[in-house]
Amino acid sequence: MSTSTHATKLSKKSVLLFRAPKEGTTDLFEKELREHKYEPVSIPVLDFNYINIDKLSQCLIQYRDYSAIVFTSQRAVEATQLSISDSSKEVNYSDLTCYVVGGSTCKAAKDAGFNAVYGDAGNAEKLAEYITTEEKCRDKPILYPCGNLRRDTLSKKLKEAGFCLNEIEVYETVRNKSIKLKVEELIQHQGLPEYVVYFSPSGVQYTEDIVSSGILPLDQLKVIAIGPTTEKELREKDIPVYSVASIPDPEGLIQAFS
């Protein structure tokens, strides 16, 4: 598919979110943007396969062997919910200390039944600093369900501080096969977005071909990163960054537009 002449025009206040919209309920990022008179469109760049669910289920059955559980993504929470539903035992996890990165992951963890949640940390480095300061128990390991593309920031800092982590890869990230087609359709029908928001380093990597081919000329658009790790990936690809969200949630993203 080739883009038409009018497709190169900039569509003011339009926002391309490189992420999957929340299914079955109101997407909070899109809702917040619309309330501020922006026109968001979400295009998924990632697909996920869940793995090691049985292994995680066994750990959760024996959750009292752990001092805490850590979630750095909503996807890890979803994998944990799968492992809970696969378990034949009814277990209440409300008394297991739960640490998370970001408000959206915090909400997902609470919805999954984890009540003692720390959700103010905007990234893994800040969360590691908080855990190091607040978590007194080093006799038991911390359970860390995570993805295959995780950065080692959290685990490295916690291990340096004397904590033991049981890291279990519970999902693997792969490229969404429809990215190029969806972006071309968006540009053809609505023109170029004024803003493009990236939510992960892998999202940057998986859109590299549509950027380098000129389909999405990021040098002409305002590129926003959801956090410092994503910003770093963008800058390493020589993509100019307009701004970075202070915290990875809808309110933090809105502030990055001003």
Side-chain angles (χ1 to χ4, degrees):
M1 179 187 297
S2 61
T3 55
S4 58
T5 304
H6 81 275
T8 59
K9 293 180 180 178
L10 193 68
S11 180
K12 285 289 186 179
K13 301 286 282 188
S14 63
V15 183
L16 170 55
L17 305 171
F18 274 129
R19 61 183 287 276
K22 189 73 174 176
E23 296 180 1
T25 184
T26 301
D27 185 275
L28 297 181
F29 281 97
E30 292 186 356
K31 179 176 181 287
E32 188 76 18
L33 285 165
R34 290 193 180 97
E35 288 178 353
H36 286 80
K37 309 304 180 185
Y38 292 97
E39 299 178 6
V41 175
S42 296
I43 295 181
V45 291
L46 311 175
D47 275 337
F48 301 92
N49 298 322
Y50 293 111
I51 56 177
N52 295 324
I53 298 302
D54 290 345
K55 184 177 180 181
L56 178 59
S57 179
Q58 289 303 310
C59 292
L60 288 169
I61 290 172
Q62 300 170 332
Y63 78 96
R64 295 190 185 280
D65 292 342
Y66 298 92
S67 62
I69 187 168
V70 174
F71 296 117
T72 56
S73 70
Q74 292 184 66
R75 201 66 57 177
V77 178
E78 291 170 8
T80 302
Q81 285 180 297
L82 278 176
S83 68
I84 291 172
S85 64
D86 282 353
S87 173
S88 59
K89 291 190 176 182
E90 290 276 342
V91 183
N92 183 355
Y93 302 101
S94 61
D95 59 341
L96 177 64
T97 302
C98 178
Y99 299 105
V100 304
V101 171
S104 299
T105 305
C106 179
K107 183 180 183 304
K110 287 181 178 178
D111 290 344
F114 296 92
N115 292 332
V117 176
Y118 175 76
D120 292 334
N123 57 57
E125 186 170 1
K126 289 180 180 178
L127 182 61
E129 291 172 358
Y130 179 83
I131 294 173
T132 300
T133 302
E134 298 296 324
E135 181 59 49
K136 306 305 180 187
C137 179
R138 284 170 168 76
D139 297 332
K140 296 180 180 180
I142 294 174
L143 183 59
Y144 181 24
C146 51
N148 64 316
L149 298 183
R150 70 193 179 282
R151 300 294 173 108
D152 64 355
T153 304
L154 181 72
S155 56
K156 184 179 179 181
K157 285 187 172 294
L158 289 180
K159 288 174 183 176
E160 287 174 351
F163 290 97
C164 177
L165 267 71
N166 183 5
E167 299 178 66
I168 303 177
E169 289 187 2
V170 292
Y171 68 92
E172 54 186 6
T173 307
V174 296
R175 188 181 194 270
N176 189 299
K177 297 177 181 178
S178 302
I179 305 170
K180 183 172 179 286
L181 176 62
K182 295 291 186 184
V183 171
E184 286 180 325
E185 287 177 344
L186 172 68
I187 296 173
Q188 183 182 51
H189 293 116
Q190 299 183 27
L192 289 168
E194 183 177 5
Y195 300 90
V196 178
V197 183
Y198 280 95
F199 286 77
S200 67
S202 49
V204 178
Q205 296 161 12
Y206 292 157
T207 57
E208 191 172 3
D209 60 334
I210 63 175
V211 173
S212 61
S213 66
I215 294 173
L216 189 66
L218 292 182
D219 58 333
Q220 301 175 31
L221 312 176
K222 296 172 182 175
V223 179
I224 297 176
I226 198 64
T229 307
T230 303
E231 177 196 12
K232 183 174 182 290
E233 186 69 27
L234 286 163
R235 295 196 186 281
E236 286 178 354
K237 303 291 186 188
D238 293 323
I239 296 171
V241 178
Y242 176 72
S243 64
V244 183
S246 57
I247 50 176
D249 64 15
E251 291 76 19
L253 179 58
I254 282 297
Q255 292 175 6
F257 281 77
S258 57

